[in-house]
Amino acid sequence: MHVPDGFIDAPVSAGTGVVAAAALAVSLRGARRELGGGPGGAGERTAPLAGLVAAFIFAVQMLNFPVAAGTSGHLLGGALAAILVGPYTGVLCVSVVLLLQGVLFADGGLTALGTNITDMGVVTVLVAYAVFRGLLRVLPRRRSVVTGASFVAALVSVPAAAVAFTALYALGGTTDVSLGKVFGAMVGVHVLIGIGEAVITAATVGAVVAVRPDLVHGARDRLAAPLELRPSPLSDPAAPGAEPRPAAAPADTAPADTAPAAAAGRRRSLRPLWIAGLAVTLACAGGLSFYASSDPDGLEKVAADNGIDKQAEDHAAEDSPLADYGVEDIADARLSGGLAGVIGVGATLVVGSGVFLAVRRRNSAAPLDAGASTASGPPATER
């Protein structure tokens, strides 16, 4: 799905650059809320997790899997990022990955960066998160439902991105190819790729839900246990002068009623999960990537079969020492690709974590708004 330079003309590329810049500005502001929170709050767990999610997406995107007829696919990651760390932070995660892929690895055109962020970042995140949250609203509160909803959300997000690319091609495609052929080919192959995306996303979200459900941003209000009030002697109706016992909280309590569960989650360290996640990420990029399919991915295959790539341009970073996910001057393909993957994971982790920590610190330094001012409890007049 990485769009190279030359597929889309300059005016539309400039337009998508403006859209991408606006989306990033909105996401930076929204991520301040997702990454915010006081000491020990959800934001303090989300910020380091977001850096790891970005690195994981980079690593798994190296694992092209075969789909059909000499075509491969790979994770886009918008659904996974949105569900785990929130939609605004999710857009930033995917954008960091796309930026580093374009600059360091010559993957995705530099003039097409706005197109790729709009298509692979904004569209996938918005579609996936809307589908995911919509399903959670109508389905029972179960962990298995969260995993299933993530599967459907990821599955839908990939052909949605294919439709978005087709629309951009209709506006600014540089070759004269039937729009119907482009639409049919793009959506058809990316429905198949979406199945792989859905499996990876559901497996990852399910693994996190199993060990740390409090870290799944998109389902925190659904996974938190409702408040249970324990009876005390003073609340025994049979005792003289006893106070009435409060009714038990209903199953669909508001997030504010889940403070004990949230506090329990805050007391647990993120370090074990973070270390395990980093180990899996490095294994994918440094080892498993050697076994990835060498077939062209969905967009490459469609472009070659339909002549969309006639105006493709050489990448501005084609002389990068890491171009095409290999380290220059290292002849051994396994070592070259593995080392490039590890370097990419490290760069994505550093850049992504730096961005998210800076956003969180800026939020912590900003004056508390009216909503945040009541985070520590009700006003004095209500206590």
Side-chain angles (χ1 to χ4, degrees):
M1 188 70 78
H2 291 77
V3 180
D5 296 320
F7 275 28
I8 306 295
D9 64 20
V12 175
S13 294
T16 56
V18 172
V19 171
L24 290 175
V26 171
S27 296
L28 284 169
R29 187 175 183 85
R32 290 176 61 186
R33 295 191 295 272
E34 293 173 350
L35 301 171
E44 291 198 345
R45 294 169 290 165
T46 301
L49 181 64
L52 180 61
V53 167
F56 181 75
I57 290 173
F58 172 88
V60 180
Q61 283 196 4
M62 295 180 67
L63 305 181
N64 281 51
F65 49 84
V67 286
T71 309
S72 70
H74 62 69
L75 182 80
L76 298 187
L80 178 63
I83 293 168
L84 287 183
V85 295
Y88 297 108
T89 309
V91 170
L92 298 180
C93 281
V94 179
S95 299
V96 166
V97 173
L98 293 172
L99 174 63
L100 293 177
Q101 286 174 332
V103 172
L104 297 180
F105 299 92
D107 189 9
L110 295 183
T111 61
L113 182 60
T115 299
N116 285 321
I117 290 176
T118 300
D119 193 22
M120 296 176 63
V122 178
V123 171
T124 59
V125 165
L126 292 181
V127 170
Y129 198 72
V131 172
F132 180 77
R133 290 295 300 173
L135 290 173
L136 291 192
R137 287 191 180 96
V138 299
L139 295 175
R141 288 192 176 207
R142 296 194 185 100
R143 293 186 179 186
S144 59
V145 166
V146 173
T147 303
S150 67
F151 182 95
V152 176
L155 176 62
V156 174
S157 70
V158 177
V163 171
F165 169 81
T166 306
L168 294 175
Y169 181 81
L171 293 174
T174 56
T175 55
D176 186 15
V177 179
S178 166
L179 186 61
K181 289 178 63 177
V182 175
F183 177 85
M186 284 293 294
V187 174
V189 72
H190 284 91
V191 166
L192 299 177
I193 294 173
I195 296 173
E197 176 104 8
V199 170
I200 295 170
T201 301
T204 306
V205 171
V208 177
V209 165
V211 295
R212 290 294 301 272
D214 58 297
L215 295 179
V216 181
H217 179 280
R220 276 190 193 134
D221 59 333
R222 307 297 295 179
L223 294 175
L227 176 63
E228 294 182 2
L229 299 179
R230 296 182 179 180
S232 66
L234 293 178
S235 63
D236 185 354
E243 298 178 359
R245 180 182 300 178
D252 288 328
T253 51
D257 291 336
T258 61
R266 286 197 296 268
R267 287 193 294 267
R268 298 177 61 187
S269 172
L270 179 63
R271 184 176 299 175
L273 179 65
W274 196 92
I275 292 174
L278 180 59
V280 172
T281 299
L282 290 172
C284 290
L288 294 179
S289 60
F290 179 77
Y291 302 98
S293 173
S294 59
D295 290 334
D297 66 22
L299 178 57
E300 290 176 320
K301 180 67 172 175
V302 171
D305 289 348
N306 294 278
I308 298 175
D309 58 354
K310 291 179 180 178
Q311 300 297 322
E313 302 172 1
D314 293 336
H315 200 287
E318 64 179 351
D319 295 328
S320 166
L322 297 173
D324 296 324
Y325 298 93
V327 178
E328 190 177 23
D329 298 330
I330 295 182
D332 185 279
R334 185 189 298 269
L335 178 60
S336 177
L339 184 57
V342 170
I343 292 172
V345 166
T348 306
L349 189 61
V350 169
V351 174
S353 297
V355 170
F356 303 131
L357 290 173
V359 171
R360 194 190 75 188
R361 286 170 182 162
R362 183 178 177 185
N363 182 75
S364 300
L368 292 175
D369 58 28
S373 64
T374 62
S376 60
T381 56
E382 297 180 6
R383 293 178 181 170

